[in-house]
């Protein structure tokens, strides 16, 4: 067991949460992230004033930049092994990763009819559904064009797979609304498509651009996969435990829309009547409140936290082959941060 993981567990067990903010967590790549934020608006360009306004709104919405930070940290950790600096292609990969993520959020907000995201109005609430869909498409297209210009076929394949996975995950979620027979395997698969695929494949792409061994690249992929699943499970928990103000979106929105997540699936194992409420889509007065009470009584949220912790543990174990550096330590700390988020 790695020294970093022992420290990570001691910190999480002792405090129950991390005192590290996202800002301080990414301090080893702080300068890189500032440059990324400046470049994102320039990459979109100003060919269309409405799309440019939408992009300006999106990239100025106060996102934590977790995904590009991971790409940059892995890039710097692996280039440090070779006593080299990161290249412009590493930086562009981080920018592409954030563009893909942002595009997916725009489309998600349209599908979910979300009015706010990250505490600010969504693109579709400001500009309408038509512009929001086009803005998301535009960002996907722009990210694909910049991806092709990296001139690395393996990286193109990795990030193209992400775009397919995002659509697949959204379709699966839509088809499985209020389906109380949903298996945990299907839930984790959907969670991989919607969240973990981007982190996993962009992490591997950073390794590929760093010319490390195939084994090291697979470790980067597995780190991102398990970390992404931990993030998604915690997001699913926060839908029950977070306030609308903290989340920047309505609380309990998943349950209301029929998106059955880890806390619900765990609760269904112990509370059969919850299935009745789900099958009638919480249509009777008091159904939603009763459903929430059953989830709490079944300790579904606590069991979901254990699932997230197990995924974070697996993520950290895949960093063992990286030599010590401030970049590797930040990657370890991100796993702690994933478990301790309150929004």
């Amino acid at each position: 067991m790695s020294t970093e993981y022992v420290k990570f567990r001691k910190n999480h067990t002792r405090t129950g949460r991390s005192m590290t903010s996202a800002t301080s967590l990414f301090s080893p790549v702080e300068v890189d992230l500032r440059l990324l934020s400046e470049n994102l608006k320039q990459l979109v360009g100003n060919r269309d004033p409405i799309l440019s306004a939408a992009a300006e709104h999106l990239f100025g919405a106060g996102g934590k930049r977790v995904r590009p930070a991971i790409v940059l940290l892995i890039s710097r950790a692996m280039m440090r092994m070779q006593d080299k600096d990161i290249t412009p292609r590493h930086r562009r990969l981080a920018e592409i990763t954030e563009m893909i993520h942002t595009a997916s959020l725009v489309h998600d907000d349209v599908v979910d009819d979300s009015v706010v995201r990250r505490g600010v109005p969504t693109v579709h609430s400001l500009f309408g559904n038509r512009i929001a869909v086009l803005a998301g498409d535009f960002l996907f297209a722009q990210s694909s064009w910049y991806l092709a210009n990296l001139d690395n076929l393996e990286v193109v394949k990795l990030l193209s797979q992400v775009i397919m996975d995002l659509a697949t995950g959204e379709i699966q979620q839509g088809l499985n609304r209020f389906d109380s027979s949903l298996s945990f395997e299907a839930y984790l698969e959907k969670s991989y498509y919607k969240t973990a695929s981007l982190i996993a494949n962009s992490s591997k792409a950073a390794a590929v651009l760093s010319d490390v061994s195939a084994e090291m690249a697979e470790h980067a992929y597995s780190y991102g996969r398990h970390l992404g699943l931990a993030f998604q499970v915690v997001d699913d928990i926060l839908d029950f435990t977070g306030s609308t103000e903290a989340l920047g979106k309505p609380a309990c929105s998943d349950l209301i829309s029929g998106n059955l997540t880890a806390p619900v699936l765990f609760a269904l194992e112990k509370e059969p009547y919850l299935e009745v409420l789900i099958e009638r889509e919480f249509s009777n007065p008091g159904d939603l409140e009763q459903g929430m009470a059953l989830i709490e009584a079944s300790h579904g949220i606590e069991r979901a936290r254990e699932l997230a912790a197990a995924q974070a543990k697996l993520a950290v174990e895949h960093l063992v082959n990286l030599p010590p550096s401030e970049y590797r330590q930040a990657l370890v700390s991100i796993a702690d941060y994933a478990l301790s988020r309150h929004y």
Side-chain angles (χ1 to χ4, degrees):
M1 184 178 295
S2 68
T3 303
E4 287 83 359
Y5 179 68
V6 172
K7 291 178 180 176
F8 154 66
R9 286 306 299 161
K10 282 182 178 178
N11 178 49
H12 186 68
T13 302
R14 180 179 65 251
T15 63
R17 62 183 179 86
S18 171
M19 298 304 290
T20 305
S21 68
T23 304
S24 62
L25 191 64
F26 303 147
S27 58
V29 290
E30 180 183 356
V31 174
D32 297 323
L33 288 173
R34 280 205 300 266
L35 181 60
L36 175 136
S37 294
E38 294 170 7
N39 285 346
L40 280 172
K41 296 172 188 177
Q42 296 176 11
L43 288 177
V44 173
N46 56 4
R47 280 177 288 179
D48 184 282
I50 296 296
L51 289 176
S52 295
E56 178 78 22
H57 171 73
L58 285 165
F59 294 130
K64 300 183 185 72
R65 309 283 194 239
V66 173
R67 290 152 187 80
I70 291 170
V71 169
L72 291 163
L73 287 166
I74 288 177
S75 299
R76 287 203 170 275
M78 292 188 169
M79 294 301 281
R80 169 72 67 85
M81 294 166 54
Q82 306 165 58
D83 198 26
K84 295 178 181 178
D85 197 3
I86 61 171
T87 68
R89 292 201 300 173
H90 288 108
R91 295 186 185 280
R92 184 51 51 86
L93 174 63
E95 293 158 3
I96 291 167
T97 298
E98 184 67 358
M99 289 176 74
I100 291 173
H101 174 57
T102 304
S104 73
L105 296 184
V106 176
H107 282 174
D108 283 356
D109 289 338
V110 173
V111 172
D112 299 337
D113 197 23
S114 299
V115 178
V116 292
R117 163 79 68 172
R118 297 168 176 168
V120 299
T122 56
V123 172
H124 88 93
S125 70
L126 289 176
F127 300 97
N129 282 354
R130 182 172 179 273
I131 294 299
V133 171
L134 291 173
D137 290 346
F138 178 67
L139 288 174
F140 275 129
Q142 282 286 78
S143 64
S144 297
W145 190 85
Y146 287 115
L147 179 61
N149 279 274
L150 290 178
D151 290 327
N152 186 301
L153 183 57
E154 185 173 2
V155 171
V156 170
K157 288 180 178 180
L158 288 168
L159 274 295
S160 297
Q161 182 65 53
V162 170
I163 296 175
M164 289 191 293
D165 286 348
L166 287 167
T168 300
E170 198 63 42
I171 291 169
Q172 285 188 356
Q173 182 169 298
L175 292 175
N176 292 323
R177 290 178 67 247
F178 297 106
D179 181 5
S180 59
S181 66
L182 182 72
S183 68
F184 248 101
E185 291 74 17
Y187 162 72
L188 289 174
E189 181 180 68
K190 181 264 296 181
S191 298
Y192 171 77
Y193 288 146
K194 283 179 63 70
T195 301
S197 176
L198 177 56
I199 302 175
N201 285 293
S202 62
S203 295
K204 183 176 181 178
V208 170
L209 291 179
S210 302
D211 293 321
V212 298
S213 67
E215 180 185 7
M216 187 72 79
E218 284 304 315
H219 278 302
Y221 170 86
S222 295
Y223 167 80
R225 178 186 178 90
H226 293 297
L227 181 67
L229 289 174
F231 264 104
Q232 184 58 59
V233 174
V234 171
D235 275 350
D236 295 339
I237 293 168
L238 289 173
D239 189 62
F240 292 96
T241 62
S243 66
T244 300
E245 292 75 16
L247 294 174
K249 62 178 182 178
C252 297
S253 58
D254 282 336
L255 189 61
I256 294 167
S257 65
N259 178 25
L260 306 187
T261 57
V264 181
L265 296 179
F266 279 126
L268 279 166
E269 295 175 359
K270 293 189 174 183
E271 301 289 349
Y273 189 66
L274 181 58
E275 182 177 346
V276 175
L277 301 177
I278 291 169
E279 291 298 328
R280 70 185 185 212
E281 301 185 8
F282 305 103
S283 56
N284 292 351
D287 275 3
L288 186 62
E289 292 76 11
Q290 188 174 6
M292 292 289 295
L294 291 173
I295 292 166
E296 184 174 353
S298 70
H299 304 290
I301 292 172
E302 287 83 351
R303 292 178 68 190
R305 286 198 179 102
E306 292 172 1
L307 174 62
Q311 291 296 326
K313 172 183 181 292
L314 290 170
V316 171
E317 288 174 353
H318 282 284
L319 297 174
V320 67
N321 291 331
L322 275 178
S325 69
E326 67 270 37
Y327 309 117
R328 184 178 75 170
Q329 184 53 50
L331 290 166
V332 172
S333 298
I334 289 172
D336 186 17
Y337 168 73
L339 298 180
S340 64
R341 289 176 303 135
H342 295 281
Y343 57 91

